[in-house]
Amino acid sequence: MVIYNAMGQQDLIATEIPYAPMVTCSDDAMRQRHTQEQAMQATWNGHVIADSAEIREVGGYTYFPRSSVRMDLLRAAARDASDLNCPHGVRFYDVAADDQINPRAAWSYEAPRATMQQVDQWIGFWKDVVVK
């Protein structure tokens, strides 16, 4: 795993970051940040959900600014117990297009602590959503 420091430079020491949005929501897992200048897209079932050169990689996930996300393809998912326990105020979204739904495939932090402030209100994707 490649780790980037706050300056966007690759750190020489790489460590595993044990984070998955539905498994844990710890501050320690959110140590890294990297802002990319190359445009990236998040796609699902042939639909471009997000497209931006201003992305941020934190905790092994890529986040897009909300303004670059097709929010019309996202539907707020019901909150479960793990969502309510998240110290960053996580909100999951189902991705929906062409009468198909990819449940809880996107998320955003609505009240992040300092470690996740850099992606406050940004959207992350996982599951079958391809980010490249």
Side-chain angles (χ1 to χ4, degrees):
M1 172 182 285
V2 176
I3 305 294
Y4 296 92
N5 63 25
M7 301 292 287
Q9 301 165 328
Q10 184 176 340
D11 281 354
L12 298 177
I13 300 172
T15 58
E16 289 298 316
I17 298 177
Y19 176 76
M22 291 184 66
V23 177
T24 183
C25 205
S26 71
D27 287 340
D28 291 339
M30 301 301 144
R31 294 183 295 241
Q32 70 177 1
R33 174 185 171 201
H34 175 64
T35 301
Q36 182 128 347
E37 294 181 15
Q38 177 182 345
M40 294 189 76
Q41 290 186 331
T43 60
W44 179 67
N45 280 359
H47 294 275
V48 175
I49 305 165
D51 188 350
S52 181
E54 184 185 2
I55 60 98
R56 294 183 181 162
E57 294 177 349
V58 181
Y61 295 96
T62 302
Y63 293 83
F64 290 82
R66 194 172 289 261
S67 62
S68 73
V69 177
R70 288 200 49 202
M71 296 302 290
D72 61 308
L73 298 178
L74 303 185
R75 296 180 186 155
R79 289 197 166 147
D80 65 20
S82 65
D83 298 347
L84 298 174
N85 288 328
C86 177
H88 302 293
V90 70
R91 161 60 75 187
F92 279 93
Y93 296 90
D94 299 335
V95 177
D98 297 333
D99 296 323
Q100 296 183 8
I101 296 175
N102 187 354
R104 300 173 66 85
W107 73 94
S108 178
Y109 296 115
E110 297 178 340
R113 291 186 178 173
T115 56
M116 291 303 292
Q117 206 54 58
Q118 68 265 22
V119 290
D120 182 18
Q121 302 296 320
W122 287 47
I123 307 288
F125 298 95
W126 70 335
K127 295 193 176 181
D128 294 330
V129 177
V130 176
V131 176
K132 63 179 180 175

